[in-house]
């Protein structure tokens, strides 16, 4: 049901929230399939490590990915068995474990990022130039406002 119909009494903000929730609910199945395809978080860990390009603590991964330390530990164990990360004891503080991405892990992360880029190219091509420009404008606006009204978190960015 289009969000404009049968909602004349709602303000545009209420209508927008309803539409946004409908969009998210209808794409939840696709998102869940993508998460499963991402091997339950492995690719998120690899991407984070690839972008950071340095050793990180498991607690940093836990905070960045908003996952429990137990979940991160399981992910790191699976990735280590596959040879995509290594865990070493921190020489300056032997109580800490440092996680580093391997070449195999970096290759996997890069292949996934390339695949994502190819999908985005197809999507933007199908949308056309005008809709793509408008989408980017609105996404920037939305993202800026989300940052304005969200608590700030530390983490890796492309410039780290």
């Amino acid at each position: 049901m289009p969000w404009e119909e049968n909602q004349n009494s709602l303000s545009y903000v209420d209508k927008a929230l309803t539409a946004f929730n409908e969009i998210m609910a209808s794409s939840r199945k696709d998102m869940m399939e993508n998460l499963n395809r991402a091997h339950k978080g492995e690719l998120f860990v690899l991407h984070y490590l690839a972008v950071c390009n340095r050793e990180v603590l498991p607690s940093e991964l836990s905070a960045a990915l908003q996952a429990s330390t137990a979940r991160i530990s399981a992910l790191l164990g699976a990735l280590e068995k596959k040879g995509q990360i290594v865990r070493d004891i921190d020489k300056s503080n032997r109580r800490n474990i440092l996680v580093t991405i391997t070449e195999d892990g970096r290759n996997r992360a890069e292949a996934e990022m390339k695949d994502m880029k190819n999908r985005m190219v197809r999507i933007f091509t199908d949308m056309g130039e005008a809709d793509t420009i408008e989408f980017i404008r609105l996404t920037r606006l939305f993202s800026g406002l989300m940052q304005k009204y969200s608590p700030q978190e530390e983490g890796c960015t492309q410039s780290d």
Side-chain angles (χ1 to χ4, degrees), residues 82-100:
K82 294 175 183 177
Q84 296 174 352
I85 61 115
V86 290
R87 291 186 277 189
D88 292 309
I89 295 173
D90 184 350
K91 291 170 181 49
S92 64
N93 182 348
R94 299 192 57 79
R95 293 177 291 174
N96 290 333
I97 300 293
L98 296 173
V99 181
T100 309

Side-chain angles (χ1 to χ4, degrees), residues 36 38-46 49 61 69-87 99-102 104-105 108:
N36 287 335
H39 301 284
K40 299 187 178 21
E42 289 180 10
L43 292 174
F44 294 108
V45 170
L46 291 175
L49 292 170
L61 289 167
T69 54
R71 179 71 190 128
I72 294 298
S73 181
L75 287 170
L76 294 178
L79 289 168
E80 191 170 40
K81 285 180 186 175
K82 294 175 183 177
Q84 296 174 352
I85 61 115
V86 290
R87 291 186 277 189
V99 181
T100 309
I101 192 168
T102 65
D104 283 348
R108 181 178 173 197

